[in-house]
Amino acid sequence: MTDNDGSWWESDKKEQSSQTSSDKPKSVFSGDVSSFSTPESVNMAQIKDPNKFLVSQFLVGLILIPIIASFLMSFIILSSERANDNWYYDGKSDPNFDGSVTINNEDFNTAEIYFDIPSFSLEEIDNNDLYFYTSVDSYNQGSWDDYGGCWWEIEDGFYSYVQSEDGEFWYPMNCWGSLENYDFYFQKNGRTMTYATNFESQINYISVDGDEDMSASFILLSFIPFLIPVAYIGMIIWSFVTKKKSLGIGLLGGIIIAPFSFCFSMIFLSFLFWDA
């Protein structure tokens, strides 16, 4: 009886000691502590120095951006000059006066000519403070005494007119030289001009010229060149604020490059616009 109790007690103690030893944590790490890296140390290694000089950004600011800006400004300036070309002119040689009209009980020969001009009426031209001029020329290359002409411009006023038998209004022209003793009248109907005269010989040349309002494209193109330098200065400020000092230094140097690039662009584009 005594032996059985002792064996039971000893076996129970062995089970407790085995459970206690199994519950103890075991160390699985080995090596030096300095061999481990923390996330903070990894991120610090990946951060780039904002003050580091980058040649690529410097060259972009020094060469590429000034060339693009100067080329764009040259193109816009030349385009605006073309858009501002609101002057028109057209002329016809040796017109045929094959029509007729009666003015002040006198028969006149008439020539109806289509010109490539705006279709403004004389009233619209006067109300918009535009310019309009038309002239008639007669000349003989062998004698200066046979040279003469007639003209009319909007400053003469279109309120002075005569009325033909068919109820049409005609504006008298001022004549000089060999045409001084003859009467010339005209009327404008859109792009068609009709001239009437009692001069029986050949009229050599008739012309019309004037101007029209500036287009909206010209106003816009005239404003854009002022924005390009402002944008350039803004880019310089932005590059330093965003710690892109290499780009900012290049843009500062580009101020010296830009005038030369602008002159070259103007010369190059002028040939293209001239041919066009």
Side-chain angles (χ1 to χ4, degrees):
M1 187 69 181
T2 305
D3 294 337
N4 292 336
D5 292 339
S7 60
W8 171 80
W9 175 257
E10 291 177 357
S11 62
D12 191 29
K13 289 180 64 178
K14 289 179 180 180
E15 290 178 0
Q16 291 180 357
S17 62
S18 62
Q19 291 177 358
T20 304
S21 62
S22 63
D23 292 339
K24 292 181 179 180
K26 297 180 180 180
S27 176
V28 296
F29 298 100
S30 62
D32 191 7
V33 177
S34 62
S35 63
F36 295 95
S37 60
T38 62
E40 289 79 4
S41 62
V42 174
N43 293 335
M44 290 297 295
Q46 294 177 349
I47 294 177
K48 295 181 179 180
D49 184 6
N51 296 320
K52 183 179 179 181
F53 187 81
L54 300 177
V55 178
S56 59
Q57 290 187 4
F58 174 76
L59 293 178
V60 168
L62 179 67
I63 300 176
L64 184 60
I65 294 179
I67 290 178
I68 294 176
S70 58
F71 184 87
L72 182 61
M73 180 177 288
S74 301
F75 180 80
I76 293 175
I77 290 175
L78 293 175
S79 298
S80 64
E81 289 181 356
R82 173 164 292 190
N84 189 35
D85 188 13
N86 58 345
W87 190 266
Y88 60 85
Y89 175 87
D90 197 10
K92 303 295 180 182
S93 299
D94 300 325
N96 187 14
F97 283 78
D98 55 356
S100 63
V101 67
T102 301
I103 301 176
N104 294 332
N105 298 321
E106 183 179 358
D107 292 333
F108 286 79
N109 299 320
T110 61
E112 189 175 281
I113 305 173
Y114 178 86
F115 291 102
D116 185 16
I117 60 175
S119 59
F120 304 137
S121 66
L122 295 178
E123 290 82 0
E124 291 174 321
I125 293 174
D126 183 69
N127 292 335
N128 293 305
D129 197 23
L130 302 177
Y131 182 74
F132 180 83
Y133 178 88
T134 182
S135 64
V136 175
D137 295 305
S138 175
Y139 49 84
N140 185 346
Q141 295 181 355
S143 174
W144 177 257
D145 295 334
D146 293 334
Y147 190 84
C150 301
W151 82 93
W152 187 93
E153 58 184 348
I154 194 66
E155 283 81 1
D156 293 337
F158 61 91
Y159 299 103
S160 176
Y161 57 85
V162 296
Q163 192 171 8
S164 60
E165 286 188 353
D166 56 2
E168 296 289 336
F169 293 99
W170 297 81
Y171 298 95
M173 303 180 71
N174 304 301
C175 298
W176 60 277
S178 61
L179 301 182
E180 186 174 5
N181 297 322
Y182 296 92
D183 296 319
F184 277 81
Y185 300 93
F186 83 95
Q187 60 179 199
K188 186 178 188 299
N189 185 15
R191 293 181 172 88
T192 301
M193 302 280 294
T194 304
Y195 297 84
T197 182
N198 53 6
F199 182 68
E200 297 295 337
S201 299
Q202 177 65 50
I203 296 297
N204 298 101
Y205 194 73
I206 297 180
S207 64
V208 177
D209 61 281
D211 63 353
E212 53 186 333
D213 286 332
M214 292 185 300
S215 62
S217 60
F218 167 72
I219 299 175
L220 178 62
L221 291 174
S222 300
F223 182 70
I224 291 178
F226 295 98
L227 297 179
I228 294 178
V230 175
Y232 192 91
I233 296 174
M235 189 175 296
I236 294 176
I237 298 174
W238 172 82
S239 61
F240 282 103
V241 171
T242 57
K243 304 296 180 65
K244 300 181 184 297
K245 293 185 178 180
S246 302
L247 178 63
I249 295 173
L251 290 171
L252 289 175
I255 296 176
I256 302 176
I257 303 296
F260 297 97
S261 177
F262 175 77
C263 293
F264 177 79
S265 299
M266 287 292 291
I267 295 173
F268 175 75
L269 291 175
S270 295
F271 285 105
L272 297 181
F273 277 83
W274 184 272
D275 294 337

